[in-house]
Amino acid sequence: MCTPMNVPTVAFACLLSIGLSGGSAWSQTLRIALSAEPTAVDPHYHNVTPNNALATHLFSSLVEQDEKQRLQPALAKTWENDGRNRWTFKLRQGVSFSNGAPFTADDVIFTFCRLQRNETKVTASFGRVTANFASVTAVDDHTLAIETLQPEPLLPNYLSDIAILSASIVPHGKITYDLGRECGVTGPWPVVGNFNDGTAAVGTGPYKLKSYVHGSAIDLERNPTYWGEAEPWAAVQLLPVTSTGPRFAGLLAGDYDVIENPAARDLGRIRNDKRFSYIVTPSARAIILQLDVGREKSPAVKAADGRNPLQDVRVRKALSLAIDRDTIIKRLMDGSAEAAYQFMPVGMFGTLPNPAKLTYDPAASRKLLAEAGYPNGFQITVATTNNRYVNDSQIVQAVAQYWAQIGVKTEVDAMPSTIYFPRRAKREFSVALAGFGSTSGETSQFLRVWAATPDEALAIGSANYGGYSSEVFDRLIREAIVTFDDDKRSQLLQKATVTLLDDMAFVPLHFESSIWAFKADLAVTGRTDQFTQAMSVKPKK
Amino acid sequence: MATYILQRLLQSAGVMLAVSVAVFFSVYGIGDPIELLVPPQAGAAERLELIQRLGLDQPAWQQYLTFMGNALHGDLGRSFAHGVPAVGLILSRLPATMELVLLALSLAVLVGVPLGLFAGLDPHGKPARLILACTVVGYSLPNFWKGMMLILLFSVLLGWLPTAERGETVTVLGIRTSLFTADGLRHLVLPALNLAIPNVALVIRLVATGTTDLMTQEFVKYARAKGVRPRRIVGRHVLRNILIPVVTVVGIEFGSLVAFSTVTETVFAWPGMGKLLIQSIYQLDRPVVVAYVMLATFLFISVNLLVDILYAALDPRVKLTGGAA
């Protein structure tokens, strides 16, 4: 293009064009390198962080979670509940989809129907909310009434995960929430491919889809009809660069404006570099040791008396006391984590405002072990993934060394998550490293899924691989999940948290922090749900 | 010749069958993809629904028979992770890998053959020893390290070339390629170089040893004694004889680069087939892994057949007959 025919003028023109294109590209297109690739554009396909984060660019939900996972009005301006099962949502007026169709209550009803008629989905997790609906009616174009089967105080939280589609993507008659007559839809229900090729990717989000290619860039452009404040970027490219080193090198070379999840050890390289900046945000992902307390014999424990020492609460407390959380965070995590003294970070709904510090006290730990009848310790194996959480296997190695210091001979069994998760589900471990990030923005999600005694009808206890079962705890959590009064629910959840900490069947270690590194002329807001969003990136004023 | 090709094709079908069994059951043996797909908060009913929809509730042999039945109808299954047909997913990645490999192998031949000839004609000279020393380094450095060094040097320190990703693409004959845009070529340089370096080294060594060896052969001595010009001896007699091992090696390398450029594609975030394979293995996405290996096997078989046919064209002594296979 810039061949030197008339050297001075062409050279000048070239310089100018490079300067201009460079400058305008910078202020127009935002390039973000992702550490994990979204598997589909369909927002109801698979409930995982990369997919959900992509969906927030293209679609809005009735209620949104802000960067601290607090609920904010979005397509619904207000909502109220009659103290039992009836909810009324007042919808925002004057909103239109990226194809020009106006947004009404019909679109919401269509979306709820599609969640039940979603043939290509990986998991039904999005449909779980609507499975609890007795009826959904459009009182008028912008008022929606929902009647649930079971009381669900967290309905607005759960609806914040549901991206609202446009009914205009399918041929339909009058839309009603009646699955018997296919809700009034006359054509085939949209499948994942319709979203990936863009035909069904019609939303009310701040961006619209330009192109999506598996394994390659996802191109977005600003949605001029977005109902909220217009975004500063005319176009956004989301690029999957799954290896940490190349992703960081791309930032240094100026190829990317923002990268997610740089390695904490690499941050030293840009700490004193004026061209770059980074942000470390504590996330709601807790790293926890789950102890096998439910069985008399546990597969990976060997004690002199032949019993399972983990069933003794003194042993469990001793194991927690033996771990120096601060040192693990400082040395292993390079400071990019926060010590966990409960199961969700302070500030999240239902957490303790001032949890007691889980101190490091090997002397007290040894004393407790001796009291429990194990002055000489026992043998145990801790299982961990080695590719799922930040430094997962190193964390467990550190724990093993701490436990060895109190006389518990600890071995580490580290494996890739492909092998780990199926084995954990079969309860082959005695101590398992677990990571859990709350998507609802409430501590109840962790408590009910991991610690409650399993009950399929109530959808609780599905991840209780350690077999923990406490009557006191179960009573509290079962009451909490159907209590509408916020103060009362919060108190119940706090009591449940205290009970769980007293029993120490789950040993909280820390909350992972999410890191974003970016060019210095940008301002980035970190999110506790670990979503990487173009909407969190603004030019620095 | 026709019977020979037919016989080879029959053998190939057997190989494909064996490969399908081996891969299917080894991926089956690694673990259960359900736990990777279903979040911990999912209930048992939800889990069961997915297990049934993916057919994972059947015994392994039955799953295999279903798979083979569908495969005979040209359907190698749907990706567990992406929900789209596995073959389509793999083939959509093929152009990106293909352009990378073609560029890398062209480099290998265009640089490797002349340098190898040069080194082989005067194996004890200083330049030859330097070239051969470089090939040892080029061949033995690990691929990922070399990739990172290329990025560090050309992208981070010098800022000449982009670090990763495919550049701008245009559609030529229905295929999206980056070979015809300036931006696309800029993005191609580093990953292609990274793939090319060990192959350049390989070709140089191959050609150099071959040349040295041939130069002492009777027919070369005879030609020289007859007064044939050195240029003609090299061009007409030596080069032609050397091309046979080069074609073999380049053929094999072509197959393995197309199928398994996983390291380079991962380091350079190149949206090719190798990166897809690695991701699919991590996710236990069995339909993609099995379809991938089947396609790769098919590719190897075809390339080998092509190489054999090329032999016959290059060396009149080679005859493609049924019995000799």
Side-chain angles (χ1 to χ4, degrees), chain A residues 68-389:
Chain A
K68 292 213 163 66
Q69 291 183 272
R70 293 167 302 206
L71 296 185
Q72 303 291 346
L75 288 179
K77 284 186 84 169
T78 58
W79 53 91
E80 56 181 30
N81 165 265
D82 70 347
R84 278 214 48 81
N85 293 359
R86 189 180 169 83
W87 292 82
T88 312
F89 289 85
K90 287 275 181 206
L91 306 185
R92 198 176 286 272
Q93 307 210 357
V95 176
S96 55
F97 285 94
S98 55
N99 65 353
F103 161 72
T104 67
D106 280 356
D107 298 302
V108 183
I109 296 176
F110 166 72
T111 302
F112 291 163
C113 291
R114 199 264 167 165
L115 292 172
Q116 307 288 322
R117 288 281 181 276
N118 185 359
E119 295 208 342
T120 43
K121 64 179 184 277
V122 172
T123 52
S125 3
F126 290 113
R128 215 175 316 143
V129 184
T130 46
N132 187 23
F133 288 176
S135 73
V136 185
T137 37
V139 179
D140 60 51
D141 269 1
H142 293 95
T143 310
L144 191 75
I146 299 176
E147 194 90 40
T148 61
L149 298 166
Q150 304 293 327
E152 184 46 88
L154 292 185
L155 186 67
N157 297 64
Y158 291 140
L159 287 179
S160 68
D161 286 344
I162 306 293
I164 300 297
L165 310 178
S166 168
S168 67
I169 59 176
V170 291
H172 62 86
K174 184 168 168 41
I175 299 258
T176 53
Y177 192 73
D178 179 1
L179 288 160
R181 45 173 292 277
E182 297 295 306
C183 298
V185 171
T186 51
W189 290 92
V191 294
V192 60
N194 303 125
F195 288 88
N196 291 352
D197 67 18
T199 48
V202 175
T204 56
Y207 291 94
K208 49 186 188 173
L209 185 71
K210 205 167 144 213
S211 81
Y212 167 78
V213 183
H214 280 302
S216 196
I218 300 167
D219 282 300
L220 310 175
E221 54 191 7
R222 185 161 50 208
N223 176 6
T225 64
Y226 178 53
W227 52 270
E229 201 182 318
E231 288 295 309
W233 316 108
V236 171
Q237 268 199 321
L238 303 173
L239 305 138
V241 186
T242 44
S243 319
T244 318
R247 197 162 63 242
F248 193 72
L251 176 77
L252 295 181
D255 288 350
Y256 312 125
D257 301 317
V258 180
I259 62 169
E260 71 175 7
N261 299 334
R265 60 175 182 275
D266 287 339
L267 292 177
R269 173 102 202 244
I270 57 171
R271 197 161 282 145
N272 296 316
D273 191 330
K274 282 199 174 63
R275 294 173 299 156
F276 303 105
S277 184
Y278 65 90
I279 181 169
V280 180
T281 305
S283 78
R285 184 182 296 285
I287 301 296
I288 290 167
L289 293 173
Q290 186 173 27
L291 309 181
D292 185 24
V293 297
R295 294 180 282 185
E296 304 260 315
K297 292 249 183 231
S298 188
V301 182
K302 228 188 264 167
D305 59 2
R307 296 218 310 262
N308 173 6
L310 296 174
Q311 289 198 312
D312 190 320
V313 66
R314 288 169 297 191
V315 172
R316 305 199 291 260
K317 289 206 160 138
L319 292 177
S320 172
L321 278 170
I323 301 171
D324 184 352
R325 292 169 176 77
D326 293 338
T327 303
I328 289 181
I329 291 168
K330 209 167 134 199
R331 297 269 177 250
L332 272 180
M333 306 296 289
D334 291 280
S336 66
E338 293 209 340
Y341 306 134
Q342 57 183 333
F343 304 98
M344 282 291 133
V346 175
M348 190 170 268
F349 191 91
T351 53
L352 304 172
N354 291 305
K357 185 175 175 179
L358 297 173
T359 47
Y360 170 54
D361 190 342
S365 174
R366 265 188 226 103
K367 214 171 130 223
L368 271 174
L369 264 192
E371 274 175 34
Y374 300 100
N376 299 320
F378 49 89
Q379 277 183 41
I380 197 160
T381 304
V382 186
T384 175
T385 52
N386 56 16
N387 60 352
R388 179 67 186 81
Y389 310 107

Side-chain angles (χ1 to χ4, degrees), chain A residues 468-503:
Chain A
Y468 172 73
S469 185
S470 147
E471 255 177 64
V472 184
F473 177 83
D474 282 344
R475 208 167 42 241
L476 289 165
I477 189 70
R478 278 165 181 255
E479 191 183 341
I481 57 178
V482 293
T483 300
F484 283 89
D485 183 82
D486 278 354
D487 288 338
K488 202 165 164 234
R489 189 170 76 249
S490 177
Q491 281 170 15
L492 286 166
L493 292 173
Q494 288 180 3
K495 276 189 203 157
T497 302
V498 171
T499 312
L500 201 54
L501 285 169
D502 279 343
D503 284 343

